[in-house]
Amino acid sequence: MSGADPAGPLGELAGDMARLNAAIARMGELSGDLERAWRLMREVPDFPEPGVLFRDISPVLADAEAFRAVVYGLARTAPDADLVLGIEARGFLLGAAVAYACGTGIVGVRKPGKLPAVAHRVDYDLEYGQATLELPEGTVAPGQRVLVVDDVLATGGTVAASSELVRQAGGEVVGAAVAVELAALGGRERLAGLNVHAVFTV
Ligand SMILES: O=P(O)(O)OC[C@H]1O[C@H](OP(=O)(O)OP(=O)(O)O)[C@H](O)[C@@H]1O
Ligand SMILES: Nc1ncnc2[nH]cnc12
């Protein structure tokens, strides 16, 4: 039996219009929630060291509507990804939710000394100091299309290092999605060639 509407083409059109109107209403709702997320973001001067204005998304994560809107904002970057990679530590919280929304698994890249089995390791520079990230063994498979998720894009070192870990494992980075981009720190320029999406840019 066909799925055609018994009322004919006009009935089908009415159905399409109803679905479109529902989608538009949903977008309006989400954009209100994004405004709420924007207002919930905290700025903490001189953390973790003097001169750094720290952008804290903890209150956004703690608010159901704001959290959902940010997660959907991130997930739309690469809905066809095979796998999501979340970066320690706040990238774990967002990454896991994005993976669930996209119907994929999640991999956490970690700071040194946390993983029992390390596939690859990359050292890099941060806005404040130096860091190392490690990819757990048995996670990214060759040819997999991976979306990298984090809370903040600053200098881009963390996303660049995570992307390098994916490539070392034979995966393809299909995009990087962050909740907040600190534009003045030039991360997007450093990541030239990568599809970078930020829900908010400051
Ligand atoms: O673009 P970049 O200059 O590399 O900086 C961005 C990274 O810095 C912060 O992580 P942090 O190292 O403070 O770790 P945390 O999430 O564990 O607090 C933030 O969560 C990003 O991962
Ligand atoms: N200013 C900042 N706020 C939050 N996370 C950061 N990571 C690097 N710089 C940051």
mmCIF file of all heavy atoms in Angstrom, residues 82-86 105-110 115-120 134-146 162 165-166 168-171:
data_model
loop_
_atom_site.group_PDB
_atom_site.id
_atom_site.type_symbol
_atom_site.label_atom_id
_atom_site.label_comp_id
_atom_site.label_asym_id
_atom_site.label_seq_id
_atom_site.Cartn_x
_atom_site.Cartn_y
_atom_site.Cartn_z
ATOM 1 N N ASP A 82 30.812 9.333 11.840
ATOM 2 C CA ASP A 82 30.729 7.950 12.339
ATOM 3 C C ASP A 82 31.015 7.881 13.831
ATOM 4 O O ASP A 82 30.705 6.894 14.499
ATOM 5 C CB ASP A 82 31.805 7.064 11.678
ATOM 6 C CG ASP A 82 31.656 6.985 10.178
ATOM 7 O OD1 ASP A 82 30.510 6.932 9.710
ATOM 8 O OD2 ASP A 82 32.698 6.991 9.488
ATOM 9 N N LEU A 83 31.717 8.920 14.326
ATOM 10 C CA LEU A 83 32.231 8.856 15.694
ATOM 11 C C LEU A 83 32.453 10.279 16.188
ATOM 12 O O LEU A 83 32.843 11.158 15.397
ATOM 13 C CB LEU A 83 33.576 8.106 15.656
ATOM 14 C CG LEU A 83 34.263 7.742 16.946
ATOM 15 C CD1 LEU A 83 33.403 6.759 17.748
ATOM 16 C CD2 LEU A 83 35.620 7.067 16.647
ATOM 17 N N VAL A 84 32.214 10.503 17.489
ATOM 18 C CA VAL A 84 32.501 11.819 18.084
ATOM 19 C C VAL A 84 33.670 11.657 19.041
ATOM 20 O O VAL A 84 33.773 10.658 19.754
ATOM 21 C CB VAL A 84 31.251 12.371 18.816
ATOM 22 C CG1 VAL A 84 31.606 13.615 19.635
ATOM 23 C CG2 VAL A 84 30.149 12.696 17.811
ATOM 24 N N LEU A 85 34.542 12.663 19.019
ATOM 25 C CA LEU A 85 35.683 12.655 19.933
ATOM 26 C C LEU A 85 35.558 13.866 20.854
ATOM 27 O O LEU A 85 35.468 15.004 20.383
ATOM 28 C CB LEU A 85 36.956 12.718 19.081
ATOM 29 C CG LEU A 85 38.273 12.611 19.818
ATOM 30 C CD1 LEU A 85 39.205 11.709 19.019
ATOM 31 C CD2 LEU A 85 38.892 13.984 19.926
ATOM 32 N N GLY A 86 35.488 13.618 22.156
ATOM 33 C CA GLY A 86 35.367 14.700 23.136
ATOM 34 C C GLY A 86 36.688 14.898 23.856
ATOM 35 O O GLY A 86 37.393 13.928 24.155
ATOM 36 N N GLY A 105 29.155 6.536 18.559
ATOM 37 C CA GLY A 105 29.906 6.317 19.792
ATOM 38 C C GLY A 105 30.706 7.561 20.135
ATOM 39 O O GLY A 105 30.764 8.518 19.351
ATOM 40 N N ILE A 106 31.319 7.519 21.307
ATOM 41 C CA ILE A 106 32.103 8.661 21.801
ATOM 42 C C ILE A 106 33.487 8.163 22.237
ATOM 43 O O ILE A 106 33.595 7.104 22.849
ATOM 44 C CB ILE A 106 31.373 9.359 22.980
ATOM 45 C CG1 ILE A 106 32.239 10.431 23.646
ATOM 46 C CG2 ILE A 106 30.906 8.372 24.040
ATOM 47 C CD1 ILE A 106 32.302 11.722 22.892
ATOM 48 N N VAL A 107 34.510 8.955 21.914
ATOM 49 C CA VAL A 107 35.877 8.662 22.383
ATOM 50 C C VAL A 107 36.346 9.861 23.189
ATOM 51 O O VAL A 107 36.182 11.008 22.752
ATOM 52 C CB VAL A 107 36.838 8.478 21.188
ATOM 53 C CG1 VAL A 107 38.272 8.336 21.682
ATOM 54 C CG2 VAL A 107 36.442 7.257 20.374
ATOM 55 N N GLY A 108 36.929 9.630 24.336
ATOM 56 C CA GLY A 108 37.501 10.722 25.128
ATOM 57 C C GLY A 108 39.008 10.763 24.943
ATOM 58 O O GLY A 108 39.679 9.770 25.229
ATOM 59 N N VAL A 109 39.538 11.904 24.435
ATOM 60 C CA VAL A 109 40.998 12.038 24.432
ATOM 61 C C VAL A 109 41.381 12.643 25.774
ATOM 62 O O VAL A 109 40.728 13.554 26.281
ATOM 63 C CB VAL A 109 41.570 12.857 23.247
ATOM 64 C CG1 VAL A 109 41.377 12.122 21.955
ATOM 65 C CG2 VAL A 109 41.019 14.241 23.179
ATOM 66 N N ARG A 110 42.483 12.116 26.365
ATOM 67 C CA ARG A 110 42.762 12.386 27.766
ATOM 68 C C ARG A 110 44.128 12.990 28.000
ATOM 69 O O ARG A 110 45.033 12.866 27.183
ATOM 70 C CB ARG A 110 42.644 11.081 28.563
ATOM 71 C CG ARG A 110 41.285 10.412 28.391
ATOM 72 C CD ARG A 110 40.795 9.797 29.655
ATOM 73 N NE ARG A 110 40.701 10.741 30.761
ATOM 74 C CZ ARG A 110 40.283 10.426 31.957
ATOM 75 N NH1 ARG A 110 39.934 9.184 32.221
ATOM 76 N NH2 ARG A 110 40.220 11.333 32.906
ATOM 77 N N LEU A 115 45.114 6.882 30.908
ATOM 78 C CA LEU A 115 44.649 5.760 30.092
ATOM 79 C C LEU A 115 45.490 4.504 30.336
ATOM 80 O O LEU A 115 46.716 4.583 30.376
ATOM 81 C CB LEU A 115 44.744 6.131 28.602
ATOM 82 C CG LEU A 115 43.799 7.221 28.124
ATOM 83 C CD1 LEU A 115 44.129 7.590 26.683
ATOM 84 C CD2 LEU A 115 42.356 6.760 28.229
ATOM 85 N N PRO A 116 44.840 3.361 30.421
ATOM 86 C CA PRO A 116 45.593 2.116 30.587
ATOM 87 C C PRO A 116 46.311 1.690 29.305
ATOM 88 O O PRO A 116 47.324 0.992 29.369
ATOM 89 C CB PRO A 116 44.506 1.102 30.968
ATOM 90 C CG PRO A 116 43.247 1.666 30.410
ATOM 91 C CD PRO A 116 43.386 3.158 30.446
ATOM 92 N N ALA A 117 45.780 2.084 28.158
ATOM 93 C CA ALA A 117 46.402 1.701 26.877
ATOM 94 C C ALA A 117 46.307 2.890 25.924
ATOM 95 O O ALA A 117 45.202 3.318 25.577
ATOM 96 C CB ALA A 117 45.697 0.493 26.296
ATOM 97 N N VAL A 118 47.471 3.396 25.523
ATOM 98 C CA VAL A 118 47.520 4.609 24.695
ATOM 99 C C VAL A 118 47.830 4.223 23.251
ATOM 100 O O VAL A 118 48.838 3.558 22.985
ATOM 101 C CB VAL A 118 48.620 5.556 25.228
ATOM 102 C CG1 VAL A 118 48.769 6.770 24.330
ATOM 103 C CG2 VAL A 118 48.296 5.981 26.659
ATOM 104 N N ALA A 119 46.977 4.692 22.329
ATOM 105 C CA ALA A 119 47.244 4.426 20.904
ATOM 106 C C ALA A 119 48.231 5.448 20.360
ATOM 107 O O ALA A 119 49.185 5.099 19.674
ATOM 108 C CB ALA A 119 45.932 4.479 20.113
ATOM 109 N N HIS A 120 47.981 6.743 20.658
ATOM 110 C CA HIS A 120 48.841 7.823 20.148
ATOM 111 C C HIS A 120 48.875 8.957 21.168
ATOM 112 O O HIS A 120 47.928 9.128 21.953
ATOM 113 C CB HIS A 120 48.308 8.352 18.810
ATOM 114 C CG HIS A 120 48.247 7.305 17.757
ATOM 115 N ND1 HIS A 120 49.352 6.861 17.067
ATOM 116 C CD2 HIS A 120 47.196 6.583 17.292
ATOM 117 C CE1 HIS A 120 48.997 5.922 16.226
ATOM 118 N NE2 HIS A 120 47.682 5.728 16.334
ATOM 119 N N GLU A 134 46.200 12.203 24.832
ATOM 120 C CA GLU A 134 46.386 10.815 24.415
ATOM 121 C C GLU A 134 45.063 10.218 23.924
ATOM 122 O O GLU A 134 43.992 10.509 24.482
ATOM 123 C CB GLU A 134 46.910 9.987 25.593
ATOM 124 C CG GLU A 134 48.301 10.432 26.041
ATOM 125 C CD GLU A 134 48.843 9.666 27.236
ATOM 126 O OE1 GLU A 134 48.047 9.037 27.974
ATOM 127 O OE2 GLU A 134 50.062 9.696 27.433
ATOM 128 N N LEU A 135 45.184 9.380 22.910
ATOM 129 C CA LEU A 135 44.018 8.682 22.347
ATOM 130 C C LEU A 135 44.000 7.249 22.876
ATOM 131 O O LEU A 135 45.005 6.541 22.777
ATOM 132 C CB LEU A 135 44.140 8.669 20.809
ATOM 133 C CG LEU A 135 43.000 8.008 20.045
ATOM 134 C CD1 LEU A 135 41.766 8.914 20.038
ATOM 135 C CD2 LEU A 135 43.414 7.687 18.617
ATOM 136 N N PRO A 136 42.850 6.812 23.427
ATOM 137 C CA PRO A 136 42.797 5.431 23.929
ATOM 138 C C PRO A 136 42.903 4.422 22.788
ATOM 139 O O PRO A 136 42.390 4.662 21.688
ATOM 140 C CB PRO A 136 41.410 5.333 24.586
ATOM 141 C CG PRO A 136 40.799 6.670 24.524
ATOM 142 C CD PRO A 136 41.594 7.545 23.622
ATOM 143 N N GLU A 137 43.535 3.326 23.092
ATOM 144 C CA GLU A 137 43.674 2.255 22.099
ATOM 145 C C GLU A 137 42.308 1.627 21.810
ATOM 146 O O GLU A 137 41.442 1.593 22.687
ATOM 147 C CB GLU A 137 44.619 1.187 22.664
ATOM 148 C CG GLU A 137 45.459 0.529 21.607
ATOM 149 C CD GLU A 137 46.534 -0.308 22.245
ATOM 150 O OE1 GLU A 137 46.231 -1.461 22.605
ATOM 151 O OE2 GLU A 137 47.655 0.207 22.389
ATOM 152 N N GLY A 138 42.125 1.151 20.580
ATOM 153 C CA GLY A 138 40.903 0.412 20.236
ATOM 154 C C GLY A 138 39.688 1.300 20.077
ATOM 155 O O GLY A 138 38.560 0.870 20.345
ATOM 156 N N THR A 139 39.892 2.559 19.667
ATOM 157 C CA THR A 139 38.749 3.474 19.548
ATOM 158 C C THR A 139 38.541 3.933 18.100
ATOM 159 O O THR A 139 37.628 3.453 17.432
ATOM 160 C CB THR A 139 38.921 4.688 20.478
ATOM 161 O OG1 THR A 139 40.173 5.324 20.224
ATOM 162 C CG2 THR A 139 38.834 4.263 21.932
ATOM 163 N N VAL A 140 39.403 4.827 17.595
ATOM 164 C CA VAL A 140 39.238 5.318 16.218
ATOM 165 C C VAL A 140 39.785 4.262 15.253
ATOM 166 O O VAL A 140 40.939 3.849 15.370
ATOM 167 C CB VAL A 140 39.999 6.651 16.009
ATOM 168 C CG1 VAL A 140 39.864 7.113 14.567
ATOM 169 C CG2 VAL A 140 39.490 7.721 16.971
ATOM 170 N N ALA A 141 38.929 3.844 14.310
ATOM 171 C CA ALA A 141 39.347 2.840 13.316
ATOM 172 C C ALA A 141 39.701 3.553 12.001
ATOM 173 O O ALA A 141 39.138 4.609 11.704
ATOM 174 C CB ALA A 141 38.210 1.853 13.075
ATOM 175 N N PRO A 142 40.629 2.992 11.220
ATOM 176 C CA PRO A 142 40.992 3.613 9.943
ATOM 177 C C PRO A 142 39.752 3.852 9.080
ATOM 178 O O PRO A 142 38.868 3.006 9.003
ATOM 179 C CB PRO A 142 41.921 2.572 9.289
ATOM 180 C CG PRO A 142 42.495 1.816 10.441
ATOM 181 C CD PRO A 142 41.405 1.778 11.484
ATOM 182 N N GLY A 143 39.690 5.061 8.488
ATOM 183 C CA GLY A 143 38.587 5.398 7.584
ATOM 184 C C GLY A 143 37.376 6.003 8.284
ATOM 185 O O GLY A 143 36.466 6.503 7.624
ATOM 186 N N GLN A 144 37.339 5.986 9.606
ATOM 187 C CA GLN A 144 36.167 6.546 10.292
ATOM 188 C C GLN A 144 36.134 8.064 10.167
ATOM 189 O O GLN A 144 37.178 8.726 10.201
ATOM 190 C CB GLN A 144 36.165 6.152 11.768
ATOM 191 C CG GLN A 144 35.483 4.820 12.002
ATOM 192 C CD GLN A 144 35.265 4.550 13.468
ATOM 193 O OE1 GLN A 144 36.177 4.712 14.283
ATOM 194 N NE2 GLN A 144 34.070 4.112 13.821
ATOM 195 N N ARG A 145 34.915 8.597 10.048
ATOM 196 C CA ARG A 145 34.712 10.044 9.919
ATOM 197 C C ARG A 145 34.391 10.587 11.316
ATOM 198 O O ARG A 145 33.366 10.259 11.893
ATOM 199 C CB ARG A 145 33.563 10.317 8.949
ATOM 200 C CG ARG A 145 33.886 9.877 7.513
ATOM 201 C CD ARG A 145 32.629 9.742 6.669
ATOM 202 N NE ARG A 145 31.768 10.915 6.751
ATOM 203 C CZ ARG A 145 31.988 12.050 6.112
ATOM 204 N NH1 ARG A 145 33.024 12.175 5.322
ATOM 205 N NH2 ARG A 145 31.169 13.071 6.240
ATOM 206 N N VAL A 146 35.289 11.425 11.820
ATOM 207 C CA VAL A 146 35.233 11.807 13.245
ATOM 208 C C VAL A 146 34.935 13.302 13.403
ATOM 209 O O VAL A 146 35.547 14.142 12.738
ATOM 210 C CB VAL A 146 36.579 11.475 13.927
ATOM 211 C CG1 VAL A 146 36.539 11.847 15.410
ATOM 212 C CG2 VAL A 146 36.914 9.992 13.763
ATOM 213 N N SER A 162 44.082 17.113 18.866
ATOM 214 C CA SER A 162 43.080 16.037 18.820
ATOM 215 C C SER A 162 42.887 15.547 17.383
ATOM 216 O O SER A 162 42.736 14.341 17.145
ATOM 217 C CB SER A 162 41.750 16.531 19.374
ATOM 218 O OG SER A 162 41.936 17.006 20.681
ATOM 219 N N LEU A 165 45.667 13.316 16.477
ATOM 220 C CA LEU A 165 45.485 11.972 17.053
ATOM 221 C C LEU A 165 44.560 11.122 16.178
ATOM 222 O O LEU A 165 44.821 9.938 15.942
ATOM 223 C CB LEU A 165 44.914 12.075 18.468
ATOM 224 C CG LEU A 165 45.870 12.594 19.545
ATOM 225 C CD1 LEU A 165 45.124 12.849 20.853
ATOM 226 C CD2 LEU A 165 47.009 11.601 19.781
ATOM 227 N N VAL A 166 43.486 11.752 15.687
ATOM 228 C CA VAL A 166 42.541 11.024 14.819
ATOM 229 C C VAL A 166 43.260 10.565 13.551
ATOM 230 O O VAL A 166 43.146 9.397 13.128
ATOM 231 C CB VAL A 166 41.337 11.924 14.443
ATOM 232 C CG1 VAL A 166 40.470 11.262 13.369
ATOM 233 C CG2 VAL A 166 40.510 12.256 15.682
ATOM 234 N N GLN A 168 46.482 10.125 13.082
ATOM 235 C CA GLN A 168 47.485 9.092 13.365
ATOM 236 C C GLN A 168 46.844 7.709 13.446
ATOM 237 O O GLN A 168 47.466 6.705 13.130
ATOM 238 C CB GLN A 168 48.229 9.414 14.665
ATOM 239 C CG GLN A 168 49.230 10.548 14.497
ATOM 240 C CD GLN A 168 50.002 10.842 15.784
ATOM 241 O OE1 GLN A 168 49.957 10.089 16.747
ATOM 242 N NE2 GLN A 168 50.718 11.958 15.786
ATOM 243 N N ALA A 169 45.567 7.686 13.858
ATOM 244 C CA ALA A 169 44.847 6.409 13.947
ATOM 245 C C ALA A 169 44.240 6.013 12.602
ATOM 246 O O ALA A 169 43.582 4.973 12.497
ATOM 247 C CB ALA A 169 43.762 6.509 15.009
ATOM 248 N N GLY A 170 44.402 6.868 11.583
ATOM 249 C CA GLY A 170 43.866 6.562 10.254
ATOM 250 C C GLY A 170 42.463 7.082 10.025
ATOM 251 O O GLY A 170 41.841 6.791 9.010
ATOM 252 N N GLY A 171 41.943 7.873 10.975
ATOM 253 C CA GLY A 171 40.600 8.439 10.824
ATOM 254 C C GLY A 171 40.628 9.746 10.040
ATOM 255 O O GLY A 171 41.702 10.311 9.801
#
